[in-house]
Amino acid sequence: AGDVAAGQAKAAVCAACHGADGIATIPGYPNLKGQNEQYIVSSLNAYKNKERNGGLAAVMQAQAAALSDADVANLAAYYASLK
Amino acid sequence: AGDVAAGQAKAAVCAACHGADGIATIPGYPNLKGQNEQYIVSSLNAYKNKERNGGLAAVMQAQAAALSDADVANLAAYYASLK
């Protein structure tokens, strides 16, 4: 499982759209607060692998391309931990 | 915007994985409770159009294929309405 503190540090860039508290600032983006950890890992990898398209997926493909496997695990742990 | 009551009726089949209360019953699936309405519409259409792949996307491609535009709008309104 990921490291919540490391995920929180990495999440600074995510907050612009997904909110500092994981509640999205823009209706077209998902809330991530309390989302399932395993689902976040799966989703980030799908964006990273350009398997997810449609909607605003291009934005996330670009973001996810810069993430290591550890980053993905840490971000998932962080957002899943938010209550 | 969609019709919450119609969405709730349509959501019976969704509940098997996403939970009767929008909290997923399986870690690999996302919680939908309180998710942004516009994001749910975008996601369902991406599955319907087979633009979303990777992870467990094949499951949702099959489910979304059976949804009309009205169904998509109603389901989004319903899940967004859950607190």
Side-chain angles (χ1 to χ4, degrees):
Chain A
D3 180 305
V4 171
Q8 181 169 18
K10 193 75 187 179
V13 67
C14 315
C17 295
H18 293 287
D21 54 358
I23 299 295
T25 57
I26 304 169
Y29 293 86
N31 302 326
L32 298 178
K33 180 181 177 177
Q35 188 53 277
N36 282 329
E37 184 170 353
Q38 187 181 324
Y39 175 72
I40 300 175
V41 169
S42 172
S43 300
L44 282 172
N45 285 329
Y47 284 120
K48 188 175 175 180
N49 297 332
K50 301 192 188 306
E51 295 170 317
R52 265 201 183 187
N53 296 281
L56 300 166
V59 177
M60 277 306 302
Q61 287 183 4
Q63 294 293 331
L67 301 176
S68 69
D69 288 350
D71 291 336
V72 166
N74 295 342
L75 286 166
Y78 168 62
Y79 281 111
S81 77
L82 297 177
K83 303 299 176 193
Chain B
D3 180 303
V4 170
Q8 181 169 18
K10 194 75 188 179
V13 67
C14 315
C17 296
H18 293 288
D21 55 357
I23 299 297
T25 56
I26 305 168
Y29 292 86
N31 301 326
L32 298 177
K33 180 180 178 176
Q35 189 52 279
N36 281 328
E37 185 170 353
Q38 187 181 322
Y39 175 72
I40 300 175
V41 169
S42 172
S43 300
L44 283 173
N45 284 329
Y47 285 119
K48 188 174 174 180
N49 298 333
K50 301 191 188 305
E51 295 170 318
R52 266 201 184 188
N53 297 283
L56 299 166
V59 177
M60 277 306 302
Q61 286 183 5
Q63 294 294 332
L67 301 176
S68 69
D69 287 350
D71 291 336
V72 167
N74 295 342
L75 286 167
Y78 169 61
Y79 280 111
S81 79
L82 296 178
K83 303 298 177 195

